Amino acid sequence: MELVSPSIGLVFWTLVTFLFLLLLLRKFAWKPILGAIHDRERSIETALASAEHAKDEMQRLTNENEQLLKEARAERDKILKEAKELKDQIVNDAKKQAQTEGAKLIETARHEIETQKAAALDEVKNQVATLSLEIAEKILRKQFEDKDKQQALVGDLLKEVKLN
C-alpha cells in the first residue's frame, strides 16, 4: 500500500525535484521556446502585413492597369477617328483635284479642238481660194482666147467701176 499512499518524504522530494525541473525548464527551455514562439508570431504578423500590403499594391496596380487600358482604348478610338477623318479629307481632296484636273483637261481639249478646227477651216479656205483662183484662171484663159469676149469683159468692168 505504500504505493497508494505516499509518504511525506517522497512527496517532499518529488516536489523539490519538480520545482528544480520547473526552474531548469524555465531558465533553459521556456525562454527559448517562448522566444521562438514570439519570433514566429512576429514573422507571421510581418508576413500577414506584407500580404496585406501586397494585396493593396495589387489592387492599386489593377486599378492603374484598368485606367491605362481605358486611356489606351480612348486614345485608340481617337486615333482611329482622326485617321478616318484624314482619310475622308484625303479622298475629298483627291476628288476635288481630279475634278479640277479633269476640267482643265476638258478645257485644254476644247481649246485644242477649236485650234484644230480653226486651222482646218483656214486650210479649207486656202484650198478653196487656190481652187477658185485656178478655176478663175482657166475660165479667164478660155475667155481671153477670143478677142471680142475680152473687149466685152473690159467694157462690163468699166461700167461697174463707174457705177460704184
Side-chain angles (χ1 to χ4, degrees):
M1 261 319 265
E2 275 185 29
L3 288 174
V4 177
S5 58
S7 69
I8 293 264
L10 180 64
V11 170
F12 173 75
W13 286 112
T14 305
L15 186 62
V16 169
T17 307
F18 179 73
L19 289 176
F20 177 70
L21 181 65
L22 190 63
L23 288 174
L24 275 177
L25 284 175
R26 184 173 179 191
K27 174 119 179 143
F28 295 109
W30 288 107
K31 283 185 182 179
I33 291 172
L34 287 177
I37 289 174
H38 287 299
D39 289 344
R40 177 71 178 155
E41 190 176 289
R42 272 187 247 112
S43 69
I44 290 173
E45 287 175 358
T46 305
L48 286 175
S50 295
E52 187 67 29
H53 179 69
K55 180 183 171 187
D56 292 342
E57 185 68 19
M58 183 64 92
Q59 184 66 34
R60 185 185 65 78
L61 289 174
T62 302
N63 290 339
E64 283 182 15
N65 284 343
E66 288 175 6
Q67 184 64 30
L68 287 173
L69 282 174
K70 286 179 185 176
E71 290 174 4
R73 286 184 186 122
E75 186 70 21
R76 180 200 64 196
D77 292 342
K78 180 182 172 187
I79 289 171
L80 288 175
K81 181 182 176 186
E82 288 175 358
K84 184 179 182 221
E85 289 173 356
L86 183 61
K87 177 199 69 136
D88 292 342
Q89 181 182 2
I90 289 171
V91 168
N92 288 336
D93 290 347
K95 283 181 183 177
K96 286 178 184 176
Q97 185 177 4
Q99 288 175 349
T100 304
E101 288 180 11
K104 285 180 183 178
L105 287 174
I106 290 171
E107 188 60 34
T108 304
R110 282 186 186 150
H111 182 66
E112 185 68 27
I113 290 170
E114 290 295 323
T115 304
Q116 292 293 330
K117 183 179 173 183
L121 285 176
D122 287 344
E123 182 68 28
V124 169
K125 285 179 184 177
N126 288 336
Q127 286 180 356
V128 167
T130 304
L131 286 174
S132 295
L133 286 174
E134 288 176 3
I135 291 172
E137 182 183 347
K138 287 182 182 180
I139 291 173
L140 286 176
R141 281 182 197 232
K142 240 182 189 195
Q143 290 229 349
F144 288 132
E145 286 178 359
D146 188 11
K147 194 122 177 126
D148 291 332
K149 285 184 181 179
Q150 283 181 4
Q151 285 189 0
L153 182 60
V154 170
D156 287 339
L157 288 174
L158 286 175
K159 285 180 190 175
E160 284 181 22
V161 171
K162 289 179 186 175
L163 292 174
N164 287 337

